[in-house]
Amino acid sequence: MQRKGDVVSNESLANLLKEERRFAPPVELAAAANVTAEAYEQAKADRLGFWAEQARRLTWATEPTETLDWSNPPFAKWFADGKLNVAYNCVDRHVEAGNGERVAIHFEGEPGDSRALTYAELKDEVSRAAHALTELGVEKGDRVAVYLPMIPEAVIAMLACARIGAAHSVVFGGFSADAIAARIKDADAKVVITADGGYRRGKPSALKPAVDEAVSRVEGVQKVLVVQRTKQDVAWTEGRDVWWHEITGRQSTEHTPEAFDAEHPLFILYTSGTTGKPKGILHTSGGYLTQTAYTHHAVFDLKPETDVYWCTADVGWVTGHSYITYGPLANGATQVMYEGTPDTPHQGRFWEIVQKYGVTILYTAPTAIRTFMKWGDDIPAKFDLSSLRVLGSVGEPINPEAWMWYRKNIGADKCPIVDTWWQTETGAMMISPLPGVTETKPGSAQRALPGIAATVVDDEANEVPDGGGGYLVLTEPWPSMLRTIWGDDQRFIDTYWSRFQDRYFAGDGAKKDEDGDIWLLGRVDDVMLVSGHNISTTEVESALVSHPSVAEAAVVGAADETTGQAIVAFVILRGTANAEDEGLVADLRNHVGATLGPIAKPKRILPVAELPKTRSGKIMRRLLRDVAENRELGDVTTLTDSSVMELIQTRLPAAPSED
Ligand code: ATP
Ligand code: MG
């Protein structure tokens, strides 16, 4: 008997591969691309030599002579005898190279205030903040928790920690006191950096009260450093609380960066919690910065002199760490940073920002793209998006329909889309098209990047042939890989390295098409087993989203007496569709049946107003499964809005629809 999630069978997966649309790289972009097809060959011939060469993008205080030490797997060391300062690489060296006047960050506040920070100014700010942390007693090897809105001080705080060798633990600014307390405790943070508040949905939203509550519950926090953003009233603990502007304001802008070992801890970051309790992922310095810088250069084709780059993620997620702070700044990029929500004060805010700053490279998530689809094509059409030249996606599998919408409505049918697969654990992009090389396919992340080894295996760890499906694994260590789960080496081994010997198991299902290109199928935990057939949630969801009445869909397998599991679909309808329309539900079931085959027809389809998502915008199918099986809900600490689950629970008693 097959166990649920054991293998993603071939027959159910044939459907995604019906996708036959292909898009060649734009000729002009290809002609001047940073990276050409040769990179794959070069990395294949000498993988370690390739990474050693990429490490030379960085400025080392002591050049590494070693590349990889894999003598004690799965504990990797990269460039171990090298020494560097990460903040120096992200800031000072650009000023020294004569680019101090280049804008590093165009900050756009939600209320419409803006601020441009040049590399020279960033260097001054980071230096002052580094001195301030030292004055507050932070030393090399300590941990600092950061709980800030999307303002430049978030980046400055991270770089200041890096500059003095303290590891930061950034906690997403929307999390509760509980989540902050748990993360402070797990990492044993000595100082917390927060703000009075930030602007969200048109009004100031307090941050400090959650920190005050969290700090009162845990031992060990000596100082709370408070950035003034909204000027709202805050409670103040004398002797513990310190205003950021006061302490940094009196520091020198001269600060000599100390060089640290390449394997010195850079940060701890907790995963999104989509599949369960978040894990504290540890990243170190030299290898992490090498791969974030290389991938940012290669995958976005970044030209630092002319591009304006914008990543819409929050700094609280790994995407914000690697592709707002470290990768772009190591490359001397000019970027936009936006504080607020995409619909404040209107649903065209993102496109207004693209137009205002002449954004050339945009990196966002499928959840955002599906929301823009729901809002309508007319909204982006009102703005001049002609500056755009490369579009990126990250966070979830992107449905082919959403991909096509993104290409047409945002990319004017000319910008290549790079669908980048990676994880908090991988630290940097792993599988993605290259914009000047790859002929793209809507919905596929396509191919491991140069220097990266990924494949798909079956239950017995055998590599599946082209056309086969199974588990995504990484077969060789990579520079930006996690080094462990903070404080729990055994959990690190058990979680990632024990399912398939010597290979890193990512937890995701995937399929290789006939060209060997990789299609992500969602989490293995989410795969459904219906009457002996494995069916991936991604496929059924993509089929639903390809129906004109559906904006978003989440599909789960719920225990079923006759079929083992039955497919239950939760759908958000587009503007004009009526949730009470019984005919529509039947129509949707038939649409899935026609697209994927009768076996994939959902047993129940429930129109809902919202789906449970993590704060990073990913659908939490495990909670929907709990609801569908009448279980108590699992860990909800990373859920955006708990009332969503109550609303969904009230919809559930509806009678199952019959065939
Ligand atoms: P947790 O591990 O706590 O459950 P999480 O996996 O959501 O949380 P992240 O590290 O933020 O935390 O997300 C990585 C996961 O996101 C990947 O394993 C994959 O499932 C999904 N993902 C990211 N990018 C893509 C992509 N381009 N295509 C498909 N899936 C993606
Ligand atoms: Mg994960």
Side-chain angles (χ1 to χ4, degrees):
M1 210 196 107
Q2 276 177 298
R3 275 191 293 136
K4 179 185 122 46
D6 255 5
V7 75
V8 186
S9 71
N10 295 350
E11 71 213 273
S12 71
L13 305 170
N15 302 291
L16 273 179
L17 309 179
K18 282 184 192 152
E19 177 55 69
E20 273 160 6
R21 291 169 285 200
R22 300 286 180 271
F23 298 93
V27 176
E28 249 175 77
L29 194 155
N34 285 352
V35 174
T36 63
E38 216 187 302
Y40 293 107
E41 298 309 314
Q42 191 202 341
K44 200 171 163 200
D46 179 8
R47 193 173 58 88
L48 295 181
F50 172 82
W51 283 119
E53 190 181 317
Q54 302 317 321
R56 281 180 220 120
R57 301 178 170 279
L58 308 183
T59 306
W60 297 81
T62 308
E63 293 274 342
T65 62
E66 297 165 20
T67 302
L68 170 66
D69 174 356
W70 193 233
S71 56
N72 180 30
F75 300 94
K77 289 186 183 147
W78 283 87
F79 313 118
D81 63 345
K83 284 182 190 287
L84 80 170
N85 185 287
V86 169
Y88 171 85
N89 273 275
C90 292
V91 184
D92 308 44
R93 64 170 177 155
H94 306 310
V95 179
E96 288 170 12
N99 295 318
E101 295 312 305
R102 183 184 297 162
V103 172
I105 299 174
H106 284 293
F107 170 68
E108 176 83 6
E110 196 188 73
D113 56 322
S114 60
R115 172 183 172 199
L117 231 84
T118 64
Y119 274 96
E121 289 164 336
L122 187 61
K123 176 177 172 288
D124 290 352
E125 298 286 334
V126 171
S127 299
R128 285 198 176 106
H131 282 302
L133 289 176
T134 303
E135 187 182 314
L136 295 178
V138 179
E139 289 171 6
K140 167 182 168 179
D142 287 343
R143 269 84 51 207
V144 173
V146 176
Y147 183 71
L148 283 171
M150 280 290 287
I151 55 176
E153 282 77 6
V155 171
I156 295 166
M158 291 162 85
L159 292 172
C161 290
R163 194 169 185 99
I164 62 171
H168 53 74
S169 166
V170 180
V171 181
F172 171 61
F175 278 155
S176 64
D178 276 347
I180 306 167
R183 286 162 178 72
I184 291 175
K185 190 161 175 245
D186 189 61
D188 197 12
K190 198 172 189 178
V191 166
V192 182
I193 306 177
T194 187
D196 47 0
Y199 290 96
R200 292 298 288 174
R201 301 188 196 288
K203 49 181 196 298
S205 159
L207 287 173
K208 189 163 184 288
V211 170
D212 288 337
E213 197 184 326
V215 169
S216 74
R217 284 195 225 153
V218 293
E219 303 277 304
V221 174
Q222 294 161 12
K223 298 285 177 189
V224 175
L225 192 49
V226 189
V227 177
Q228 195 171 43
R229 165 66 182 142
T230 58
K231 300 205 165 71
Q232 63 200 113
D233 285 339
V234 288
W236 204 254
T237 304
E238 284 306 328
R240 185 199 72 183
D241 296 351
V242 180
W243 282 113
W244 170 280
H245 59 273
E246 284 179 4
I247 189 166
T248 60
R250 59 180 154 79
Q251 308 295 330
S252 162
T253 56
E254 297 301 318
H255 182 277
T256 311
E258 185 185 335
F260 301 106
D261 289 344
E263 285 297 336
H264 190 72
L266 182 61
F267 65 84
I268 300 166
L269 180 65
Y270 294 79
T271 56
S272 314
T274 313
T275 53
K277 192 171 169 287
K279 302 169 277 282
I281 302 302
L282 176 69
H283 283 288
T284 59
S285 305
Y288 172 81
L289 198 63
T290 296
Q291 195 175 330
T292 51
Y294 172 69
T295 51
H296 184 260
H297 158 88
V299 172
F300 294 126
D301 191 44
L302 178 91
K303 310 280 198 271
E305 302 79 17
T306 48
D307 275 318
V308 178
Y309 163 83
W310 182 22
C311 167
T312 70
D314 192 280
V315 286
W317 312 121
V318 73
T319 306
H321 283 58
S322 301
Y323 298 104
I324 293 178
T325 302
Y326 294 110
L329 295 178
N331 289 339
T334 294
Q335 70 178 311
V336 172
M337 179 180 201
Y338 172 56
E339 178 182 32
T341 52
D343 53 352
T344 307
H346 57 79
Q347 294 178 334
R349 186 69 189 269
F350 270 28
W351 318 122
E352 188 178 70
I353 292 173
V354 168
Q355 176 179 290
K356 175 173 174 184
Y357 294 102
V359 172
T360 59
I361 304 169
L362 178 69
Y363 194 28
T364 192
T367 184
I369 297 165
R370 290 189 301 257
T371 303
F372 299 137
M373 284 172 78
K374 188 166 60 182
W375 290 344
D377 306 0
D378 54 318
I379 293 171
K382 287 183 206 136
F383 298 90
D384 178 5
L385 308 181
S386 61
S387 54
L388 288 168
R389 65 180 199 95
V390 178
L391 302 177
S393 172
V394 62
E396 286 181 293
I398 179 164
N399 320 99
E401 282 322 300
W403 195 103
M404 289 302 298
W405 186 91
Y406 193 27
R407 179 175 163 95
K408 175 164 180 272
N409 294 280
I410 307 304
D413 267 328
K414 67 172 174 53
C415 301
I417 296 179
V418 287
D419 174 11
T420 62
W421 179 88
W422 59 294
Q423 311 177 294
T424 308
E425 294 89 336
T426 69
M429 296 165 182
M430 303 294 281
I431 304 176
S432 169
L434 288 176
V437 178
T438 315
E439 185 184 60
T440 54
K441 304 175 178 177
S444 174
Q446 300 197 278
R447 179 166 181 196
L449 288 167
I452 299 300
T455 192
V456 180
V457 298
D458 66 16
D459 263 329
E460 273 75 54
N462 302 311
E463 202 165 322
V464 303
D466 288 348
Y471 306 90
L472 182 68
V473 294
L474 304 170
T475 55
E476 298 286 357
W478 62 100
S480 64
M481 65 194 280
L482 76 166
R483 298 306 194 254
T484 189
I485 292 178
W486 180 254
D488 201 344
D489 287 349
Q490 193 56 47
R491 191 174 174 207
F492 169 59
I493 296 168
D494 294 345
T495 308
Y496 306 107
W497 302 92
S498 49
R499 179 71 181 80
F500 302 105
Q501 221 190 344
D502 300 337
R503 289 162 185 202
Y504 173 91
F505 172 43
D508 289 338
K511 161 96 182 173
K512 281 199 233 167
D513 67 16
E514 297 301 338
D515 304 325
D517 282 325
I518 294 175
W519 299 70
L520 274 301
L521 295 171
R523 295 150 199 289
V524 173
D525 295 353
D526 291 336
V527 169
M528 303 172 289
L529 184 61
V530 182
S531 304
H533 297 265
N534 281 112
I535 300 179
S536 89
T537 51
T538 302
E539 280 183 299
V540 181
E541 287 163 6
S542 288
L544 285 163
V545 172
S546 72
H547 188 283
S549 297
V550 178
E552 271 211 87
V555 161
V556 299
D560 184 274
E561 286 186 357
T562 44
T563 55
Q565 280 191 315
I567 302 178
V568 181
F570 299 82
V571 296
I572 300 181
L573 299 177
R574 290 214 194 198
T576 51
N578 178 4
E580 304 306 322
D581 177 358
E582 275 301 312
L584 176 61
V585 168
D587 194 29
L588 292 180
R589 296 183 68 239
N590 291 335
H591 176 73
V592 176
T595 317
L596 299 177
I599 187 87
K601 268 192 187 180
K603 181 160 185 187
R604 306 171 75 181
I605 295 184
L606 302 163
V608 291
E610 276 304 333
L611 291 168
K613 288 186 182 164
T614 62
R615 302 273 180 153
S616 54
K618 298 178 197 209
I619 299 169
M620 281 217 242
R621 292 178 194 75
R622 63 183 168 85
L623 295 181
L624 293 172
R625 211 156 46 226
D626 291 343
V627 171
E629 296 184 340
N630 287 315
R631 259 196 315 272
E632 211 174 297
L633 298 183
D635 188 283
V636 290
T637 53
T638 64
L639 189 64
T640 328
D641 175 2
S642 54
S643 65
V644 167
M645 289 314 296
E646 284 153 33
L647 271 174
I648 291 174
Q649 272 164 320
T650 61
R651 290 248 6 139
L652 211 73
S657 42
E658 293 304 325
D659 241 330

